[in-house]
Amino acid sequence: MKNIILAAAALAALTACTNGKSNHDPLADTGRTERTERLLQNLRQLGDSAVYLVGHHDDTVYGIGWEADYTADSTVHQRSDIRSVCGDFPALLSFDLGHLELGDAQNLDAVPFSRIRQEIIAHFDHGGLTTLSWHLNNPLTGGTSWIEEESSRQPSSAGRQEGAVPAILADGPTHNLFITWLDRVADFLNSLETPYGVRVPVLFRPWHEHTGSWFWWGADHCTPEQYKALWQLTVSRLREQGVVNALYAYSPGTEPDGNVEKYLERYPGDDIIDLMGLDCYYKAPPQPSPTETDGGRLERTEWTSLEKNIAMVCRVAKEHDKAAALTETGFEGLPVPDWWTATLAPVLERHPVSYVLVWRNARERPTHFFAPYPGQQSASDFVRFYNDPHTLFLRDLNGLYQ
Ligand code: BMA
C-alpha cells in the first residue's frame, strides 16, 4: 500500500480502525443506515483533502479481450483491466441498472444483475464503494434512453419523446408503469446485503447528463420543474420502498460551461441530492501544425471545459455542503501515452474532488475503452498515476464507512 498524504479530517476518517464488518446496521436520524451517512461524511471530507478515489465502470466483469464467467462464483471480483495494469482494483466500481426496469435478468450491456449484486457486495467487503447509473428505457415509446437512436429507429415517434417525463409524473399515462420500474430498482437496492446482515451503501446516479438533450430526460425534452419532479418522485418512492442505503448524485454535462445558475437550473434540492458532479469527457484537440514546436503538449494539458466546470462544481458543492466528484470522464481509446499524469491528474490537483470515474472497457467494441489494459500505450503512465500520492485505489482504503 502506498503512503497516503491526507488532510487531517480525511486521514481520521479513512484510516480509522477496521472496515466495520459486523452485523450492527442501525439507522441514523435521516432514515438511512449510519454506514451510509458516514460514507457521505467521508466523501465530503475527501473534497477537503488532496486525495480522490479512482473508479472504473464495469471494471470487474469484463475488459479488453476477456469477460468473467458469470456462471462461476469463483470469478467474482477477480479480474480487472486496471488491476492487470497496476496490481490493484479501483477504489470505486460503477455498474448500470439499464433494463432492470424491464424485469430483465441482464443489463443493457449484457451483464447479469445477479453478478452486479455479487460484485457490489464483494467490493464493499474489501472496503470499496460502488456507484450505479441507470440508462433506462423510455416508458412512453418503449425505446432506449437515447433520443437520436430512438428517432432514427422510429421516426414517427420522435415528437412523443418530449412527453416522456411529464407522462410519468403524477396522473400521467405512464405513471403507474414507471412506479413499477422504480420498485424494481428499490428491490435491487434493498437486496444489496452482506451475508453478515449489512445493507451495502451505494451512490445512485440516475437522470445524468440532463443538461444535454441526447437522453429522453434531457434539457430539450422537459421543463426544469418537470425534471425536478422526476427526481422527487424517484427519491421519495425509493424511500417509501425502504431503501436506506442509497446516496444520490446529480451529474450534469458540460453545458453549464462554468455558469452556476445554469448548473443549478434543474437541481432538485439539497434534501434530495448528496453529491454534486460533472460528466466531462476529454476530446482530442486538432492536430498541431508542423510549425508548432511543442508537439501539441500545451494544448493537451489545457482541458478548458473540465477546468471551468469542475472549479464551479467544487465551489457550489461546498456552498451546499455536498460532496463533489468528476462523475464520468475519460479519453476514448487513450491514444496519448501520458494522458493520466499530464492531463487528468493536474486538473484534479487544482480542484479537489471525492472521486473520478472513467467509463467502461467495452469487450464488444474494442475501440470503446477508457482505462488501460496490459500493453495499451498509456499503461505505464497509468502506473505513475497509481503511484501518485493523490490517487486512492482499493488497497488504500480502510474506513470509508467509519
Ligand atoms: C455508453 C456506451 C454504451 C453503453 C452505455 C451504458 O456510454 O458505453 O455502449 O451501452 O454507456 O453503459
Side-chain angles (χ1 to χ4, degrees):
M1 188 186 299
K2 77 180 85 159
N3 261 340
I4 306 167
I5 301 167
L6 291 168
L11 181 69
L14 282 178
T15 58
C17 47
T18 68
N19 189 39
K21 280 185 198 165
S22 79
N23 59 8
H24 191 52
D25 202 20
L27 293 186
D29 294 345
T30 55
R32 296 195 286 212
T33 67
E34 285 183 359
R35 268 186 194 75
T36 309
E37 295 300 338
R38 287 195 298 263
L39 167 67
L40 176 58
Q41 293 290 354
N42 288 329
L43 290 176
R44 274 202 213 111
Q45 287 176 347
L46 278 168
D48 293 325
S49 77
V51 296
Y52 49 89
L53 313 182
V54 175
H56 183 211
H57 188 72
D58 280 351
D59 182 74
T60 51
V61 286
Y62 59 77
I64 301 301
W66 66 276
E67 177 148 23
D69 175 359
Y70 301 133
T71 65
D73 287 356
S74 58
T75 67
V76 172
H77 210 272
Q78 292 297 313
R79 191 165 172 186
S80 139
D81 280 347
I82 284 192
R83 187 192 194 196
S84 299
V85 165
C86 71
D88 197 0
F89 289 102
L92 176 73
L93 296 186
S94 165
F95 297 102
D96 198 275
L97 299 184
H99 293 187
L100 182 70
E101 71 280 2
L102 307 177
D104 287 3
Q106 54 181 40
N107 80 358
L108 78 167
D109 296 316
V111 184
F113 291 110
S114 54
R115 172 55 66 114
I116 293 176
R117 180 184 303 110
Q118 287 177 300
E119 296 289 346
I120 294 170
I121 295 171
H123 194 61
F124 170 77
D125 237 1
H126 287 90
L129 170 64
T130 299
T131 179
L132 297 167
S133 50
W134 191 19
H135 285 88
L136 72 167
N137 272 10
N138 183 326
L140 191 60
T141 65
T144 70
S145 289
W146 287 268
I147 290 286
E148 274 173 40
E149 192 177 308
E150 174 64 11
S151 315
S152 58
R153 220 160 41 83
Q154 296 178 322
S156 59
S157 71
R160 293 172 62 205
Q161 311 223 9
E162 313 222 332
V165 173
I168 60 184
L169 300 176
D171 303 328
T174 53
H175 179 74
N176 290 341
L177 171 67
F178 183 63
I179 294 293
T180 65
W181 288 12
L182 283 175
D183 289 357
R184 286 184 173 133
V185 171
D187 288 348
F188 182 81
L189 297 175
N190 287 336
S191 76
L192 300 174
E193 192 170 301
T194 66
Y196 46 91
V198 167
R199 288 281 181 91
V200 177
V202 287
L203 178 64
F204 187 36
R205 190 174 67 89
W207 316 129
H208 65 304
E209 298 173 9
H210 64 282
T211 46
S213 296
W214 46 90
F215 296 133
W216 56 259
W217 54 88
D220 288 350
H221 313 300
C222 60
T223 66
E225 291 320 309
Q226 288 166 347
Y227 179 80
K228 291 181 200 175
L230 177 63
W231 261 105
Q232 269 144 12
L233 173 63
T234 304
V235 174
S236 63
R237 183 70 187 184
L238 295 181
R239 283 178 184 152
E240 278 164 30
Q241 295 301 103
V243 174
V244 292
N245 52 337
L247 299 176
Y248 297 95
Y250 176 70
S251 62
T254 56
E255 294 73 19
D257 205 26
N259 180 305
V260 72
E261 283 75 35
K262 282 196 186 144
Y263 182 85
L264 291 175
E265 191 186 13
R266 289 166 187 247
Y267 180 63
D270 285 344
D271 52 333
I272 290 180
I273 298 299
D274 299 299
L275 179 143
M276 296 167 106
L278 171 73
D279 285 13
C280 177
Y281 282 81
Y282 186 80
K283 300 270 184 311
Q287 287 299 306
S289 74
T291 52
E292 286 175 272
T293 51
D294 77 340
R297 186 181 161 86
L298 183 64
E299 276 180 282
R300 276 201 278 116
T301 54
E302 281 180 358
W303 187 355
T304 324
S305 61
L306 179 61
E307 282 276 357
K308 257 196 213 169
N309 283 292
I310 202 73
M312 178 254 308
V313 170
C314 290
R315 204 173 52 243
V316 76
K318 206 146 220 39
E319 283 163 15
H320 287 250
D321 200 20
K322 303 294 173 189
L326 182 50
T327 39
E328 264 186 54
T329 191
F331 187 6
E332 187 172 18
L334 288 164
V336 172
D338 61 354
W339 183 77
W340 301 97
T341 60
T343 303
L344 179 63
V347 184
L348 298 179
E349 267 173 52
R350 286 191 288 275
H351 307 288
V353 290
S354 59
Y355 75 80
V356 54
L357 175 79
V358 296
W359 205 240
R360 66 197 192 106
N361 282 9
R363 74 304 205 192
E364 80 286 10
R365 286 168 64 187
T367 57
H368 188 60
F369 65 89
F370 299 86
Y373 51 89
Q376 201 278 326
Q377 64 170 305
S378 74
S380 53
D381 189 56
F382 191 84
V383 175
R384 280 192 288 276
F385 181 66
Y386 171 73
N387 287 320
D388 178 333
H390 302 94
T391 60
L392 298 180
F393 286 73
L394 187 57
R395 282 204 300 267
D396 299 318
L397 298 180
N398 186 9
L400 200 50
Y401 303 92
Q402 293 286 324

